[in-house]
Amino acid sequence: MDIARDYGISRFQVARYLDEARALGIVRIDIRFPEAAAELAPDRLAAALGVQRVRISPTGADERTTREAMAAAAAAEIMDAAAPGANIGVSWSRTLDLAAGHVTHLPPCNIIQLAGALPVPGSGNSLELIQNLGRHDGVATWPLWAPLVVENAQTAQSLRRQPEISETLAKAGSLDAAVVAVGAWMPGLSTVWNRVDNHLKLEAAKAGAVAECSGRLLDAAGRPVNSELDERVLAVSLAQLENTPNVVAVAQGAARADAVRAVLAAGFVTTLLIDEDLAVALSGDEPGTAAGNR
């Protein structure tokens, strides 16, 4: 209203001009908490959340900039985890897809795809991610030649019996490290959400689902959510992740705070990679509110 009064125009005109300016990229409206972000201490946040290590990536001027910074950090985690001969599991997300391009070197090791293909318009998918990592000399890949979510449980059971699929899923049971993405079970915060019908979305939500990790749903206490989706997903199981000694979870945006808390409560995450905005949202946790890790 102050702008409208100063320039002698209506507030509706101000709103229209702002919309046009935002569309042209002249104006950007962004709510940030720079003071809170500057005070973040990864070690203290890790202790509060009950995870071994927290790595905080800068939140950029827009989502793409933030994701690029997180991709570079995720690539560093992949390279650090990839010892000679190790079995490294990699799930898919838009950030991890970009991370493959930041991986500059890998020793001879095995890269295992942890979730079936999930094509996303304007981005790659898990098959392309594994293929990109497999271009490094001496790296063997174990692709998962199937969609992440199929039409029904019978189709999923049939695909799991295929040798090339069953071998990859079995390989996920002997991982030395894994890098996975965390989504929230709500619109726009999980790529799996858009792949299922409304009935399944609501069924899972009513059952308490708040987080999604490689197609597996968790409630706020970190417990698996039993739903139709679990039978239709071709991906690493939560039990396999629990048996993995080093699991890096990647998440971006304050809106995923509850989902991250749920995944940490499940107890399989050892390293949490997040952006500043999400770190600020999580920093309100008190020590001991998330289940401790190994």
Side-chain angles (χ1 to χ4, degrees):
M1 292 185 68
D2 290 340
I3 296 174
R5 183 175 57 252
D6 290 345
Y7 286 90
I9 58 179
S10 72
R11 58 191 177 90
F12 301 106
Q13 286 176 296
V14 172
R16 179 167 60 84
Y17 291 148
L18 284 174
D19 286 341
E20 291 175 356
R22 291 177 64 191
L24 292 170
I26 299 170
V27 171
R28 179 175 61 83
I29 299 173
D30 189 17
I31 300 173
R32 298 288 304 279
F33 304 93
E35 295 83 4
E39 295 173 359
L40 291 171
D43 291 345
R44 187 164 65 242
L45 184 56
L49 296 175
V51 67
Q52 291 181 15
R53 179 168 166 261
V54 169
R55 182 170 183 179
I56 302 173
S57 178
T59 296
D62 53 39
E63 185 177 356
R64 178 73 183 188
T65 305
T66 303
R67 183 165 285 126
E68 282 286 359
M70 291 200 66
E77 295 293 335
I78 293 172
M79 290 186 284
D80 288 346
N87 291 331
I88 309 299
V90 182
S91 189
W92 184 88
S93 72
R94 287 168 291 182
T95 298
L96 295 180
D97 183 37
L98 290 172
H102 290 276
V103 173
T104 57
H105 62 275
L106 288 173
C109 62
N110 299 308
I111 302 292
I112 296 96
Q113 182 179 335
L114 296 184
L118 184 61
V120 174
S123 185
N125 61 51
S126 46
L127 281 172
E128 293 175 0
L129 169 61
I130 296 300
Q131 289 167 353
N132 286 336
L133 293 176
R135 293 187 179 128
H136 297 271
D137 290 341
V139 172
T141 59
W142 296 74
L144 193 52
W145 299 105
L148 174 59
V149 183
V150 295
E151 185 176 358
N152 52 54
Q154 291 74 24
T155 301
Q157 290 171 2
S158 177
L159 287 169
R160 290 189 193 104
R161 289 194 290 267
Q162 300 298 316
E164 61 273 18
I165 295 175
S166 64
E167 289 174 5
T168 297
L169 291 174
K171 195 77 172 174
S174 57
L175 298 173
D176 296 294
V179 183
V180 298
V182 177
W185 194 240
M186 59 181 65
L189 298 177
S190 165
T191 50
V192 177
W193 175 276
N194 294 331
R195 295 284 164 170
V196 299
D197 59 32
N198 288 334
H199 171 75
L200 197 156
K201 292 173 185 175
L202 294 174
E203 176 197 30
K206 288 178 180 178
V210 298
E212 176 264 313
C213 183
S214 298
R216 306 298 181 180
L217 301 181
L218 295 161
D219 67 12
R223 296 174 299 226
V225 172
N226 294 321
S227 76
E228 178 190 336
L229 178 62
D230 205 46
E231 299 301 319
R232 293 168 50 188
V233 163
L234 292 156
V236 63
S237 69
L238 293 174
Q240 287 172 320
L241 290 175
E242 289 169 1
N243 289 327
T244 303
N246 178 18
V247 177
V248 179
V250 180
Q252 173 183 333
R256 291 184 174 88
D258 287 343
V260 168
R261 292 186 186 101
V263 172
L264 294 182
F268 57 78
V269 174
T270 55
T271 295
L272 179 64
L273 170 58
I274 52 178
D275 72 316
E276 289 174 333
D277 283 355
L278 179 50
V280 170
L282 290 168
S283 64
D285 287 347
E286 295 297 329
T289 56
N293 264 304
R294 294 155 295 197

